Structure formats: structure tokens, C-alpha cells
Amino acid sequence: MTQFTTDRRTLLAGAAALAGVSALPRMAMAQGAPIKIGTLTPLTGAGGPYGPVMVKAVKAVIDEVNAAGGVLGRKIELISEDDQTNPEAGVRAARKLIDVDKVSAILGTWASSVTTAVAPLCWESKTFLCTTSGADSITQLPHQGFLIRTQPTTTLQGKKFGEFAIAQGAKRVFFLSPQTPFAKSQFDNITLAVKAAGGETASLIYDDKKPAYRTEIDEAMRFKPDAIVFGGYTPDTTVMLKDLYRADFKGTKIAFGYSVNQKLVESVPAEIVEKTFMISPSPAEGSKAYDRLVKMIGVAAPDPYTTQIYDHINLVLMAIAIGGDASGDAIRANLRKVSQAPGGTKIDNAIDGLKAIAAKQPVDYDGASGPCDFTEIGDISDSKFRYEQVQGGKIALVKIG
């Protein structure tokens, strides 16, 4: 802020000496004030495997846009904070981004508990928030349009989990989960799918900080399940799988893709995690945006959250450009003009989008996570899902659908 004041005085003095303030190009005045964008991702904690790559994707887009001249004649400045996969840490980091750094938007909140805690700070300060969290309750908050999410809702995810369990021949499905903002919705929608096929469900909410879960596993086993769905994160799911193996469970195991990842697979004996299924939103593999992201960050198979935050930064920068202003209000008012303009030019990256906007062309962005069309309350309209299984110590693709 001090730097902007100094530069402005210098420019005003020079302009007045020459031909008056009105002769000074607006772009030149703006060059001293970068547009600040924040990321609030889990660099540590349960989501730690994902946050660093997510930030790398945002930085790659910003570097590319800055090299091409920035947005509105201004450079983009990235400020990255760690939410530690913890709501309290997330709130502290968000306050810094909003109150100290004065960011226009915060991108990439991952855990639903963090997003739920941070969202009120954003809408109260008119800071735009883009999230990869799935809890249904998030977009039911009174966010006043200052929020979009690229992650499918838990309603949709729960339905997919239940239907997949039935497709594997399950009739009795048990859901194990820590207390999260999405746990109830996930179980309710698993139950709807399972009961529609004539099956039964039961659930147990557990403390995700315990060193062992044999008591919880014993309770699950008393239900005589032929499928168990894990709703936790990597640390607690790792312990759960170990205790389930000791209990000699022979049925189907299904988990979130972010939980049973390659890191978990490599950290336990092969037999503990073998044949576990994972379900997660599917990136738009093979799309121009996806291929572009792969080249930009040098990661052969970006996870869903990296593809989503890549779309966040592209959308926000284009919304700022089309609105002619870097405020959260302007992003809110203009984001759908670049995500889903009727008859708009198909765009898969900010550079081409900025050119189209400069040429007064409507823009319809399809990203690395898929088509980025949003409902009135900020939910993604549709998504494909990726079904994988641990086979021989490796994660293998079963299907996308």
C-alpha cells in the first residue's frame, strides 16, 4: 500500500508538469498496484499430500499471465497460506489474507470443515472464495454469491458410493466416518441408494485422533456387512484398514480417493489395502485444459483438487478482466460470464480467455476438472467420477463414469 502511494505521487507530479493529470494513462497508474490472489490449501495435516501441488498449479498460471502482461495492465501477486487441514488454523490464515494482504479472492480450501469456518469471513469482507470441498451445507450458507465450488456435492458423491457398493454385490453396507460437515449427508445418500436396491445400511461416527479402532471395527462387524465405506482422511483410514485386516474382513472396502492414495498404499503391508476401491471426482483427462496443466506443472496425472484449483485461478483472472475491476464484488458479478456465457467462445486457459475478452467475445470456459458451469447457489452442475482399485500394490483405474 505504501509503495502504491509513493508511485502515484510521483506519477501525478510528472503528469501535472507536462499536461495535467487527465493526460496520464490509466494503465500506467495501475502498474504499481498488483492484484493479490490468495491460496488457502492444506500444505500440512491430513490434506498435506495435495496442497503443495495445488499451489504449484496456481503459480504456473499466474506466472504465465504475468509474462503476457498481467490483467488490466497489472501484475498478479500470489500469497499462499497453509490451513493445516484445520479449521482454527484456516481461520487465522484467512484473516491474514483478507485483513493484511487484502486479497481479491481465496482459492482452494480443501477440507469441508475449513471451508465452513472460512466462508463467513469471505462473504463479510466481500472476498471471493473458490473451494474444492464437497459438503452440501457449504453452498447452503448465506454466502451472498461470494462462493463457488468445483467439487461435486456430497449428495451426488453419496449416491455414487451407494450405487457402486450395490454393483459389487453388497446388500449390507456399513459407513465409518469421523465427524465432518459431510458425514451425515454422505451416509444419508448412501442409504437412499442402497435401500432403493433392497439393501440395509448402518453407520458409526468415530474420533479421528485415536491410535486404534478395534472397538469401532468390532461394532461394524456385528452388523455383518458385506461392504464397508470409509469416510475419513488418510491418517485415520490407515489405522482403520489395519484393524479391519486384523478382524479378517473379507467383504468390499470403499474409500474416498483422497484418503486411500499412493502414499497410504506404500505405507502399509500390501495385504492390508489390497483390493480396496476408491471413488473420486474425475478430472477431464484428455481435454486441452488437462493436457496444458500437465505440461505446466510437470505432473503426469494431476489429482482432482489440482485440476480444480487450476480452474479457479483461470476463472477468477478472466472474471477480473471482463469486469474491469479486481474486487470480490466484480468477481462475483462476472465469473459466470466467463464460465458459461451462452454461445461463448470455448476457452480452456486464461491467456486465450483474456484475448477473447479484449476482443469483446463472450467466453465459455471448460477446464481441467471438466465443464465449469455453476448453479445459482454456486455448485458445479455436473461431474464424472473416477473409480479405482488397489491391485498388486498399485492404484489401477477401474472406470470413469
Side-chain angles (χ1 to χ4, degrees):
M1 195 70 173
T2 302
Q3 183 62 48
F4 173 74
T5 303
T6 301
D7 289 348
R8 185 172 181 273
R9 286 173 177 168
T10 303
L11 288 169
L12 286 173
L18 292 173
V21 175
S22 61
L24 183 64
R26 291 179 62 194
M27 186 176 292
M29 290 179 67
Q31 285 177 346
I35 297 170
K36 295 182 179 182
I37 303 293
T39 58
L40 184 56
T41 60
L43 304 180
T44 57
Y50 302 102
V53 187
M54 293 169 72
V55 175
K56 185 176 183 179
V58 175
K59 185 177 185 303
V61 173
I62 287 176
D63 287 348
E64 183 180 55
V65 169
N66 280 339
V71 178
L72 305 180
R74 301 162 63 182
K75 296 294 184 182
I76 312 302
E77 180 181 339
L78 174 62
I79 302 165
S80 177
E81 295 292 339
D82 179 14
D83 66 28
Q84 302 174 35
T85 327
N86 177 281
E88 292 181 3
V91 166
R92 288 194 298 271
R95 287 196 182 281
K96 174 185 175 294
L97 289 170
I98 295 167
D99 298 336
V100 178
D101 301 310
K102 309 292 185 183
V103 298
S104 301
I106 293 175
L107 317 181
T109 54
W110 184 81
S112 292
S113 59
V114 171
T115 301
T116 301
V118 165
L121 304 179
C122 291
W123 77 64
E124 288 166 4
S125 63
K126 298 186 177 181
T127 304
F128 200 80
L129 177 63
C130 301
T131 179
T132 68
S133 302
D136 291 346
S137 56
I138 288 170
T139 48
Q140 294 166 7
L141 295 169
H143 58 77
Q144 304 166 48
F146 284 96
L147 183 153
I148 58 154
R149 64 153 152 221
T150 42
Q151 180 81 344
T153 64
T154 312
T155 294
L156 181 55
Q157 293 188 59
K159 178 174 181 285
K160 296 292 184 180
F161 273 71
E163 289 174 346
F164 186 75
I166 292 296
Q168 302 310 304
K171 290 295 184 182
R172 298 180 65 79
V173 180
F174 199 94
F175 179 60
L176 283 162
S177 176
Q179 185 60 264
T180 67
F182 56 82
K184 184 180 185 302
S185 176
Q186 182 80 4
F187 176 64
D188 288 349
N189 286 283
I190 289 172
T191 298
L192 286 173
V194 171
K195 287 192 171 181
E200 294 293 330
T201 64
S203 69
L204 174 66
I205 300 298
Y206 61 83
D207 176 0
D208 62 357
K209 301 297 189 294
K210 292 179 67 175
Y213 294 105
R214 190 56 193 260
T215 301
E216 289 81 358
I217 292 299
D218 286 346
E219 182 172 340
M221 295 293 281
R222 282 194 288 272
F223 180 71
K224 300 187 184 305
D226 39 28
I228 292 181
V229 176
F230 300 92
Y233 296 116
T234 302
D236 46 295
T237 302
T238 302
V239 181
M240 277 280 178
L241 285 168
K242 290 178 180 177
D243 286 340
L244 191 63
Y245 175 76
R246 296 186 186 105
D248 199 31
F249 178 69
K250 301 297 185 184
T252 301
K253 298 171 290 187
I254 308 171
F256 287 105
Y258 61 71
S259 174
V260 179
N261 49 32
Q262 193 61 44
K263 181 179 179 181
L264 186 156
V265 172
E266 294 171 357
S267 71
V268 299
E271 60 271 17
I272 288 174
V273 72
E274 184 69 10
K275 296 186 178 178
T276 301
F277 288 103
M278 295 82 73
I279 302 175
S280 57
S282 177
E285 292 186 33
S287 68
K288 289 182 179 179
Y290 184 90
D291 292 344
R292 185 182 181 92
L293 173 60
V294 167
K295 292 178 181 177
M296 289 177 77
I297 64 175
V299 176
D303 61 76
Y305 316 104
T306 299
T307 63
Q308 289 178 44
I309 200 170
Y310 170 83
D311 293 340
H312 295 173
I313 185 60
N314 280 293
L315 287 167
V316 164
L317 294 182
M318 289 189 293
I320 289 171
I322 201 168
D325 182 71
S327 68
D329 268 322
I331 298 170
R332 177 183 64 165
N334 291 284
L335 189 131
R336 287 172 179 78
K337 294 179 183 178
V338 295
S339 68
Q340 58 211 75
T345 303
K346 286 294 182 182
I347 293 295
D348 57 67
N349 66 89
I351 295 294
D352 290 344
L354 295 173
K355 292 177 182 176
I357 291 165
K360 306 299 183 184
Q361 297 173 355
V363 171
D364 182 2
Y365 177 83
D366 285 350
S369 66
C372 292
D373 296 344
F374 301 97
T375 67
E376 185 176 347
I377 65 171
D379 287 328
I380 197 77
S381 298
D382 196 13
S383 174
K384 290 186 176 181
F385 283 79
R386 183 181 184 89
Y387 300 80
E388 298 172 302
Q389 187 181 35
V390 181
Q391 299 174 0
K394 299 292 184 182
I395 295 177
L397 178 65
V398 175
K399 67 174 184 175
I400 295 177

